[in-house]
Amino acid sequence: MDLILKNRNFRTFVFAQTFRDITLMLFVTSNGWLVLDLTDSTIFVGLAAGCGGLGMLITSLLAGSIVDRVDRKKILALSHFILSITFLVVVLFIWTGSINIWILLLTTFIDGSCTSFRFVCGGTITMDLVGSKDLSRATAINFSCMTITGVFITAIGGNLIDRYGFESTYLIMSICAFISSVVLMLGLPSTSKNITDGNRTSIQELRDGISYIKQNKRIRSLLLLGLSSEVFGWAHESMVPVVTKYVLGGGSVELGYILASGQVGALISTLVLSNYRIKKNRTLILYLTYILFGLFLIGFVWSKILLLSMLLYCLVFLAVATYEVVLHSLVQTIVPNIMRGRVVSFQILTWGATGISGFMLGVLAGFTSPPIAITINTSILVLNGTRNVVKKILTNKSILSYWQ
């Protein structure tokens, strides 16, 4: 945490992102539950997640080249401002009683589009502010602040919905996104403007990014690993409200507690990593946490006891937060500065697959049940992680030294 004290610009950036994190956590708590409340359908819950993923997929490819050309803080601030207006419109629809599923699907699409810029800009700005030496710790600090926020905001959000309705959480989202936009514009210096060749188009730079990834085995392997965790692991997020309602028999308050318990697990992981620089055995940590992510998740979806579900979901996020920090820091440190925005945009592209997979998961849950659907999906994650570990052992490649 000393980075926050010593680096004023990084401190300002973390402060601005904290307000955006409040928006993110309230959206996770509110949107899926509101869709479920309006439709009582796992398919529509999955479709909402799919719209968010589609937004990320469409914008993430060009986001990288845009971020490498334009002042990153301005792009990030603009995306937060757009979200502020969007959530305010949703509040008006709720107040007038005219909210419907199609408005929520559009809202989720806009959120996904803006989120792709949030993560592309956020990762590259962090690198700009702290440098490669402290990137792993800075990334962990970013995650720590997000998870500290999540511990309280998800639980508070569930109670706000129960007492004051959905309009209360969407209004807070709008206000916090606006504050984040203002802090970024007024408190952060311009970052990495026009580091690319001004004579090349965004499409040409996108092709350069694709070519770079094809030629770099490390980056390609990391992105494929990330894609598999999004499709077969993170896709479960869209079904958490469904599991809460139909497996645990809970409401918005119980949903908030479950989401908060997950953030506690992530917080434990990121607080440790923010004060410990991983120098060795990164691949071993990467694969072990990848596998544990899947195993704990399978246990969670079958639990019918709230406290046990909260403990298991805490372990789910303890594993996956460690995995994500290690994966993200590897990508950022391997890629040269001129390519970073484009490569990170491909990483965000894999995150967009979460929503698309969430839609398919919702359809599968509609024909079977949420626990069965998530177990089938997540088992592929566990088998893939185990296969990679066994493969490296059989080929006599030391998993303890690979990518150190």
Side-chain angles (χ1 to χ4, degrees):
M1 290 294 182
D2 59 312
L3 277 176
I4 295 180
L5 299 176
K6 295 179 180 179
N7 190 322
R8 177 190 175 278
N9 289 333
F10 181 60
R11 184 168 65 249
T12 302
F13 176 67
V14 170
F15 179 71
Q17 288 296 82
T18 298
F19 284 97
R20 177 65 177 92
D21 290 337
I22 293 173
T23 302
L24 172 65
M25 294 302 169
L26 285 177
F27 186 80
V28 170
T29 307
S30 305
N31 203 65
W33 192 261
L34 180 54
V35 172
L36 188 61
D37 187 63
L38 287 175
T39 66
D40 198 31
S41 168
T42 61
I43 294 177
F44 272 110
V45 173
L47 181 59
C51 288
L54 183 62
M56 293 188 74
L57 286 171
I58 292 174
T59 57
S60 60
L61 284 175
L62 293 178
S65 60
I66 293 174
V67 165
D68 284 341
R69 284 174 171 268
V70 184
D71 187 349
R72 292 164 179 169
K73 76 156 187 181
K74 292 181 180 178
I75 293 296
L76 188 59
L78 177 62
S79 70
H80 293 180
F81 181 75
I82 292 173
L83 278 180
S84 177
I85 298 300
T86 301
F87 294 140
L88 185 59
V89 170
V90 172
V91 171
L92 296 177
F93 275 111
I94 295 175
W95 274 345
T96 58
S98 54
I99 189 69
N100 59 60
I101 183 61
W102 308 112
I103 293 171
L104 291 179
L105 294 181
L106 177 60
T107 299
T108 309
F109 177 84
I110 295 172
D111 178 79
S113 301
C114 292
T115 298
S116 68
F117 281 99
R118 179 260 171 99
F119 284 114
V120 172
C121 292
T124 52
I125 288 175
T126 299
M127 181 72 165
D128 292 332
L129 296 178
V130 305
S132 60
K133 182 179 179 181
D134 289 314
L135 180 63
S136 179
R137 289 199 303 150
T139 301
I141 289 172
N142 286 334
F143 275 110
S144 295
C145 293
M146 182 173 67
T147 51
I148 290 172
T149 303
V151 169
F152 299 101
I153 294 302
T154 49
I156 293 172
N159 280 277
L160 284 173
I161 293 170
D162 185 61
R163 295 186 180 186
Y164 305 108
F166 290 99
E167 58 266 44
S168 62
T169 54
Y170 281 91
L171 181 60
I172 295 173
M173 283 188 259
S174 176
I175 294 171
C176 288
F178 179 76
I179 293 174
S180 179
S181 177
V182 172
V183 172
L184 286 170
M185 285 300 299
L186 299 181
L188 207 64
S190 299
T191 55
S192 298
K193 184 176 180 179
N194 293 329
I195 64 173
T196 61
D197 185 352
N199 295 321
R200 298 181 64 79
T201 66
S202 295
I203 299 299
Q204 288 174 321
E205 291 174 356
L206 176 61
R207 290 174 180 171
D208 291 342
I210 295 173
S211 177
Y212 174 80
I213 292 171
K214 285 182 177 180
Q215 296 172 14
N216 193 306
K217 182 179 179 180
R218 286 185 172 184
I219 290 298
R220 190 169 64 251
S221 298
L222 287 171
L223 292 180
L224 288 174
L225 185 68
L227 177 62
S228 67
S229 68
E230 300 298 328
V231 173
F232 302 113
W234 279 110
H236 84 277
E237 279 193 307
S238 64
M239 291 292 106
V240 175
V242 179
V243 171
T244 302
K245 183 174 182 178
Y246 296 118
V247 179
L248 290 171
S252 62
V253 175
E254 287 76 17
L255 173 62
Y257 291 154
I258 288 173
L259 295 175
S261 66
Q263 296 304 313
V264 169
L267 176 61
I268 294 171
S269 169
T270 51
L271 284 176
V272 172
L273 292 175
S274 65
N275 290 284
Y276 175 73
R277 186 176 297 162
I278 301 175
K279 298 180 180 179
K280 297 182 178 180
N281 305 334
R282 287 181 290 182
T283 297
L284 177 61
I285 295 172
L286 197 67
Y287 279 120
L288 285 180
T289 51
Y290 176 91
I291 295 169
L292 289 173
F293 172 33
L295 291 175
F296 290 136
L297 184 55
I298 292 173
F300 162 73
V301 298
W302 288 100
S303 170
K304 294 184 178 181
I305 303 172
L306 179 59
L307 289 178
L308 178 59
S309 297
M310 291 172 63
L311 174 61
L312 288 169
Y313 208 57
C314 176
L315 294 174
V316 167
F317 271 73
L318 177 65
V320 75
T322 304
Y323 159 82
E324 291 288 354
V325 169
V326 174
L327 179 67
H328 185 72
S329 60
L330 279 169
V331 171
Q332 288 282 355
T333 51
I334 292 172
V335 179
N337 185 50
I338 197 171
M339 281 288 177
R340 235 182 321 123
R342 276 161 282 181
V343 172
V344 172
S345 72
F346 277 96
Q347 187 180 13
I348 306 305
L349 178 66
T350 67
W351 296 355
T354 299
I356 305 299
S357 183
F359 168 61
M360 295 186 290
L361 196 59
V363 173
L364 181 59
F367 284 102
T368 57
S369 70
I372 292 175
I374 295 174
T375 298
I376 292 173
N377 206 49
T378 308
S379 294
I380 299 173
L381 182 83
V382 176
L383 292 173
N384 181 56
T386 305
R387 179 189 64 84
N388 276 283
V389 172
V390 172
K391 180 181 177 181
K392 284 181 171 38
I393 293 174
L394 293 178
T395 54
N396 295 319
K397 290 183 178 179
S398 172
I399 194 172
L400 297 179
S401 62
Y402 192 66
W403 284 349
Q404 286 190 359

